[in-house]
Amino acid sequence: IEDLQKDPDVGPAGRELGPHSALVIPITLEEKAIGVIWFISYREHRFDDREVRLLSTLGDQIAIAVAKAKMLEELRKREEDLKQTLSQLSKKNRYESIISAVTQNVHKTINLQDVLENAVDAMSKNIDNVDNVSIYLVEDGEAGPASLPRFNRGTSAQGSPQAVLESYRGYPDWWAKRVRTIPYPIGFTWKTIIEGKPCYCADVDKDTVIGPAGRKMGTKSYASMPINFGGKTVGVININSLKKNAFDEEELRLLEIVARKIEVAINNAKQADALRKSEEALRKAKNELEVKVEERTTELRKTNRNLMAEIAERRRAEEELKNSHEQLRALAARLQSIREEERKLIAREVHDELGQALTGLKLDLSRLASGLSEGVTKRNKTAQRIESMSILIDETIKTVRRIATQLRPGVLDDLGLVAAIEWQVQDFRERTGVKCEFKPGVKHLTLDQNLSTALFRILQETLTNIARHANASKVKISLKKDKDSIVLRVEDNGRGITEREISGSKSLGLLGIKERAFLFGGSVDITGRQNKGTVVAVHIPLRRHTP
Ligand SMILES: Nc1ncnc2c1ncn2[C@@H]1O[C@H](COP(=O)(O)OP(=O)(O)O)[C@@H](O)[C@H]1O
Ligand SMILES: [Mg+2]
């Protein structure tokens, strides 16, 4: 520019310089002008070609220097970036390892204490600037930690809630002892529990929340994260540093993740606890049941034994009863037959001896009567006497016969059952005037004498009963025999026997009928219909008694 005053491109500042000439050389970097160098002459000067070339070189050199400086700065910046990235990367890595360690542990064990230990361990090793890590759980003072499974700790003396140190890293043991419990509502631990929100402080000097113990420990910054369970805050994770500004958002995020994992662990522990409890209850119930079953079984066994003994006793008694019954029957049967024999004997004696003696007497009397034919007047009187004696003897002979027959009808022994029944029926008709018909189904019946006697005596008893009780006007008797049984049936048209009379304990006549039939393996059917009559039917199986 030859004259600054005249050039239209020159701005007001250039014009103020006065009447000068100037040379403006661009500083070009990578084909881009990044600046200019002004050469100004206070004289009127014309820069010749040599000067322009020389000064242009200067511009180039400056451009190179600027480029170098820029590059260096760039480099330094990049190095810085790299460093930061690296540190962040390693932090990220370490935090991820914390999370994965805690996660794995939560899935591996149902032991909450184990999970808590593992969590504080991983955090204390991997978080930058952390000096101590602790986990507290709330105990409500009455029955252990609120909503938490059993932790086997005593309750606090006052019954007020307190936060109990469950696990820690970084504290010396004596210090841990001192902060083992934090009474409500001291320090940021309780602030976190009460508010249920994370609590973070970068500089304790500006903090009013931190408790005296924390301050004494020299804590300069801290972060505290609530642990929630069942809609309640049940504990906290605390990380403390002896430096200011030790933690930021990232640590809070980490704490939050760890807290969530611990919540899962608490849930697991609680479920395991519930499971264990229900298992215990189940086992207890099972044991109780077993005991009960055992007791019941013993009882039952005892009852059973008693029952068995009783049954055996009863069976024995029954057997005895049966035996004596049989003996009685045998005795009765024996007596019956003895009686029958005796009757037979007496009947014969009476008939034969008395009958003959009487007949002899009668003969003598008639001889006496004929010797008296031509006698004195008194003779007539004597003859009359003899006559009446003879009549008496005749009567006596009849009586003797009747007694003998009643004792035992000779016809039964001589002519058999059918004839004996016929005779008896005839006798019944005569004695009672009741119509009585007999239909013998057989002409000749060869039966065992004992059986004949039994059937005959049965018939006698039924006829006696009809005469005494039935008030009947007609009686039908039948005796039938087929190939394996013999049936005697006596039917009357009287008032009809009643059920009570049939089974009555005083019905000894009927019992006798049954007993007699029973002796021959037979049975008796007695049926009565009111005002229609009574039927007595005796069935005797034959094979055993007829040869
Ligand atoms: N043919 C009959 N008709 C009506 N009642 C009868 C007849 N046979 C027996 N009874 C009744 O059955 C009862 C029992 O008979 P029984 O044992 O022979 O005893 P008893 O003749 O000594 O009374 C009789 O008392 C009578 O009341
Ligand atoms: Mg009778």
Side-chain angles (χ1 to χ4, degrees), residues 204 279 357 403:
V204 160
E279 259 170 14
I403 290 172

Side-chain angles (χ1 to χ4, degrees), residues 283-527:
R283 197 174 305 123
K284 210 174 133 210
K286 193 183 148 235
N287 287 345
E288 270 167 16
L289 204 74
E290 262 167 14
V291 169
K292 262 188 203 147
V293 165
E294 185 56 43
E295 276 173 14
R296 192 93 187 82
T297 310
T298 324
E299 221 168 81
L300 273 173
R301 225 174 261 145
K302 216 170 109 193
T303 316
N304 208 24
R305 261 204 306 277
N306 290 348
L307 255 163
M308 295 298 254
E310 212 168 281
I311 287 171
E313 176 59 30
R314 214 168 266 186
R315 216 171 259 159
R316 213 178 48 77
E318 253 166 36
E319 192 65 28
E320 249 168 36
L321 205 69
K322 208 175 125 202
N323 281 345
S324 63
H325 218 111
E326 267 163 19
Q327 279 174 347
L328 272 175
R329 266 203 174 128
L331 187 65
R334 173 116 184 79
L335 284 176
Q336 202 85 262
S337 75
I338 286 172
R339 214 172 118 209
E340 225 34 79
E341 276 309 309
E342 274 176 352
R343 280 179 160 197
K344 209 191 272 179
L345 205 77
I346 293 167
R348 197 171 297 143
E349 294 274 297
V350 167
H351 184 269
D352 293 1
E353 297 294 320
L354 272 180
Q356 239 151 55
L358 284 170
T359 313
L361 262 178
K362 212 190 146 183
L363 273 176
D364 285 351
L365 263 185
S366 60
R367 228 176 281 145
L368 201 68
S370 60
L372 280 177
S373 50
E374 73 269 9
V376 284
T377 42
K378 272 187 179 176
R379 279 175 207 158
N380 272 350
K381 237 180 175 181
T382 314
Q384 274 170 16
R385 277 250 170 93
I386 289 170
E387 180 66 31
S388 71
M389 274 173 78
S390 176
I391 291 168
L392 186 64
I393 285 172
D394 275 342
E395 289 291 310
T396 311
I397 287 171
K398 264 190 210 155
T399 307
V400 164
R401 285 219 178 103
R402 191 169 47 81
I403 290 172
T405 318
Q406 266 173 5
L407 272 171
R408 183 170 171 95
V411 47
L412 184 60
D413 294 321
D414 304 335
L415 298 175
L417 182 61
V418 174
I421 293 175
E422 262 160 2
W423 170 81
Q424 183 68 62
V425 164
Q426 177 66 32
D427 180 67
F428 177 79
R429 264 191 232 117
E430 281 167 10
R431 267 192 299 117
T432 63
V434 174
K435 272 195 237 164
C436 184
E437 63 179 42
F438 171 48
K439 280 188 186 160
V442 279
K443 279 259 146 45
H444 302 288
L445 197 60
T446 7
L447 288 179
D448 172 73
Q449 212 190 37
N450 288 331
L451 179 55
S452 295
T453 308
L455 285 169
F456 183 72
R457 294 293 181 209
I458 288 172
L459 176 77
Q460 277 188 320
E461 175 66 30
T462 56
L463 287 178
T464 308
N465 277 350
I466 289 169
R468 283 173 65 192
H469 311 297
N471 197 18
S473 60
K474 203 176 168 189
V475 179
K476 281 191 215 161
I477 301 166
S478 68
L479 182 70
K480 281 182 193 153
K481 187 197 162 210
D482 58 31
K483 67 178 189 297
D484 43 31
S485 71
I486 182 157
V487 180
L488 171 67
R489 193 166 181 281
V490 182
E491 184 184 345
D492 69 60
N493 65 348
R495 67 164 168 89
I497 192 169
T498 64
E499 280 301 316
R500 279 183 66 179
E501 288 167 330
I502 292 171
S503 53
S505 59
K506 283 177 195 152
S507 308
L508 293 179
L510 297 182
L511 188 69
I513 291 176
K514 286 176 196 159
E515 274 300 308
R516 282 186 201 269
F518 182 83
L519 269 178
F520 296 92
S523 63
V524 182
D525 281 332
I526 303 172
T527 47

